[in-house]
Amino acid sequence: MKQFRRIGILTSGGDAPGMNAAYRAAARAALARGIEVYGIYEGYKGLIYDNMTLISKPSDVSNIITKSGTVLYSDRCLEFKTEEGMAKAIETCKKNHIDGIVAIGGDGTFRGATDLSKRGIPTIGIPGTIDNDITATDYTIGFDTAMNTVISMVDRLRDTCESHARCDVVEVMGRWAGHIALRTAIATGASAVAIAEIPFDEAKAIADMKKARENGKRSFIVIVSEGLPGYAEQLAKKIQDQTGIETKFARLAHVQRGGSPSLLDRLTASEMGVAAVDELLKGNSDLVVCKVDDKICTMEIKKALTVDRMFKKKITEEELAALSDEDKAWMTARCDKVLAGMQRLYAIAEEIK
Ligand code: F6P
C-alpha cells in the first residue's frame, strides 16, 4: 500500500447535487486511514492559486451531506490547461505535501486529472454531473436529484396546463445527452420526447397530439433535450400552429442543478468517494470511478474519454485505428449497450404516452 501524507479533493465543472457527499466520504475515508486532507476551492483554480482548507478531523466536513451545490465551489478553469497554470498547480501540491488528488466532476475534470497524473500527482476522478453523460459509467452523481427536480417542476406545469387546456414544451438540461429528457418524459407522462440520440418523428408527434385533443385530452407535456439547441421553442410554435392547442415553452435551466441530493445521489457519492481513496492507496492513478451493473469499478481515464467520444460520434479515424481490437470491441459493445438502453426507454415513452 502506497504511503500518503495528504490528499487534495476538488470539485470542478458544473456543480451537481451529491458532490458534497462525495467530498465528505473521500475526506472521511482518508482521515480514517491516517491521511490528512486539503479541500481545494474552485476546482483546479484553487490548485493554481493555493486556495484550500485543511481538513484534519471528520467534523470538518460535518453537515454537508444534505447540501446542494459544492461547498468547495467550482470553476471551469482555462488557466489549468496552460503549461504555466499546470506548473503552478504542481508547485502548490509539492509545497503543501499533497501526494494525491480526488477530482469530482465531468469529462473536463477528468482531462485535468490525467494531466496531473502524468506530472507525478496521482489523481482519481469521480463522475459528478447531472447529465449522466459519462459513457463508461451507468451513473453520475447528481443525475437522480436533477431528474426529481424536473418532475416536480413539470408536474406544476401540468397542473396549469390541465386548467387551461394547454401544452407546455419543456427544455431540460443534459448538454448533448438525452438521459434526463428520456427518463423525465416517461415519469411525467409526456406526450412526446425529443433527444439528439434518437430520430424524432415530429409530424407523427404533432398528429398524435391533435388526435388526442380531438379525443378530449386537455393538457400536453413535451420534453426536449437541450442537446437539440433551440428546437424546443420552434416545436412549441409548430404544435400551436398545427394543432390549435395553445402552447407555451419553458426552459428549466439551472434550477435543475440545485436542491438537496436524493438518497441515490448521497449513497452513490459516498460509495465513490471511499472507492477513490482506496484506489489512491492501492497506488493507482489516472482512473475514473464508475458504477456498472450496480457495482463500483474503475476505468482508465483515457479509455473512458475515448468511449465517450465514440458514443458522441466525435472519435476520429486515427483514434479508432490506434485502438487495440480488444478495446475497440469493448467500446463498441459499451456504446451499443447504452444506446440500446435509451432505445428501450424511448419505445416505452412512445407506447404509453
Ligand atoms: O454539465 C452540467 C450542465 O448543467 C449541462 O446540463 C448544461 O448544458 C451546462 O452544465 C450548463 O453550464 P453552465 O453552468 O456553465 O451554464
Side-chain angles (χ1 to χ4, degrees):
M1 192 175 276
K2 200 168 180 283
Q3 287 299 311
F4 281 84
R5 293 163 293 181
R6 278 182 193 161
I7 63 163
I9 304 174
L10 59 86
T11 53
S12 156
D15 61 350
M19 279 183 160
N20 290 325
Y23 167 42
R24 171 184 178 274
R28 289 194 171 173
L31 291 170
R33 290 155 178 76
I35 301 161
E36 281 185 329
V37 173
Y38 265 123
I40 301 163
Y41 290 117
E42 293 187 303
Y44 292 112
K45 194 170 162 191
L47 215 45
I48 295 174
Y49 292 99
D50 196 359
N51 184 12
M52 50 189 79
T53 181
L54 185 66
I55 303 296
S56 55
K57 52 187 187 311
S59 61
D60 291 342
V61 285
S62 278
N63 300 327
I64 63 169
I65 197 165
T66 58
K67 286 195 179 143
S68 189
T70 159
V71 295
L72 290 175
Y73 313 129
S74 192
D75 194 74
R76 301 191 201 271
C77 180
L78 295 178
E79 197 182 346
F80 189 69
K81 292 183 182 156
T82 66
E83 270 311 314
E84 206 191 345
M86 180 59 64
K88 281 195 213 164
I90 301 290
E91 194 43 47
T92 308
C93 289
K94 288 191 178 142
K95 189 180 122 197
N96 294 304
H97 306 296
I98 293 175
D99 304 318
I101 300 266
V102 172
I104 307 162
D107 51 3
T109 307
F110 303 149
R111 267 176 232 118
T114 291
D115 291 340
L116 281 174
S117 297
K118 279 190 184 144
R119 285 164 176 85
I121 307 292
T123 302
I124 304 288
I126 294 180
T129 162
I130 64 164
D131 303 335
N132 203 36
D133 64 343
I134 308 290
T135 310
T137 178
D138 292 344
Y139 194 78
T140 63
I141 297 164
F143 183 45
D144 184 58
T145 308
M147 289 190 295
N148 280 300
T149 302
V150 170
I151 65 171
S152 85
M153 296 293 134
V154 174
D155 287 352
R156 285 163 171 77
L157 290 172
R158 170 77 76 182
D159 294 341
T160 168
C161 279
E162 184 69 18
S163 304
H164 293 268
R166 284 178 181 151
C167 171
D168 229 305
V169 179
V170 185
E171 184 192 274
V172 300
M173 276 188 167
R175 207 178 285 276
W176 184 88
H179 301 291
I180 294 178
L182 199 49
R183 285 163 179 77
T184 57
I186 293 174
T188 57
S191 296
V193 53
I195 60 175
E197 294 89 336
I198 296 176
F200 176 59
D201 190 341
E202 180 188 283
K204 181 174 182 303
I206 294 176
D208 287 350
M209 287 169 68
K210 196 162 181 236
K211 199 160 162 217
R213 168 53 62 91
E214 282 158 13
N215 287 334
K217 187 170 171 65
R218 283 183 67 81
S219 63
F220 297 84
I221 294 292
V222 174
I223 305 282
V224 177
S225 157
E226 68 170 356
L228 297 168
Y231 183 60
E233 216 163 348
Q234 287 170 28
L235 182 61
K237 192 168 175 330
K238 283 186 188 172
I239 292 170
Q240 178 156 306
D241 292 348
Q242 293 175 34
T243 64
I245 303 166
E246 187 185 357
T247 304
K248 305 278 181 192
F249 158 72
R251 176 175 289 131
L252 294 189
H254 290 79
V255 70
Q256 294 162 93
R257 294 239 297 259
S260 179
S262 69
L263 178 137
L264 184 60
D265 282 324
R266 294 180 198 193
L267 182 63
T268 313
S270 301
E271 288 181 280
M272 288 184 169
V274 173
V277 172
D278 282 344
E279 290 303 323
L280 280 177
L281 294 189
K282 279 190 238 163
N284 290 330
S285 176
D286 207 6
L287 302 177
V288 56
V289 178
C290 298
K291 193 160 201 183
V292 178
D293 296 335
D294 216 27
K295 288 193 188 70
I296 297 290
C297 53
T298 57
M299 174 162 299
E300 283 164 51
I301 288 182
K302 185 166 187 268
K303 201 166 158 181
L305 294 178
T306 308
V307 71
D308 227 33
R309 278 197 297 281
M310 186 184 263
F311 188 70
K312 291 166 188 162
K313 300 194 182 3
K314 288 181 180 164
I315 195 163
T316 62
E317 287 299 324
E318 296 77 60
E319 261 185 299
L320 262 180
L323 291 176
S324 69
D325 286 348
E326 197 189 333
D327 277 353
K328 204 186 293 173
W330 178 83
M331 286 182 195
T332 307
R334 179 74 195 161
C335 293
D336 289 350
K337 187 180 173 196
V338 174
L339 187 61
M342 296 185 89
Q343 284 165 337
R344 186 182 66 82
L345 290 178
Y346 197 87
I348 292 172
E350 265 295 302
E351 193 164 14
I352 63 172
K353 70 186 186 187

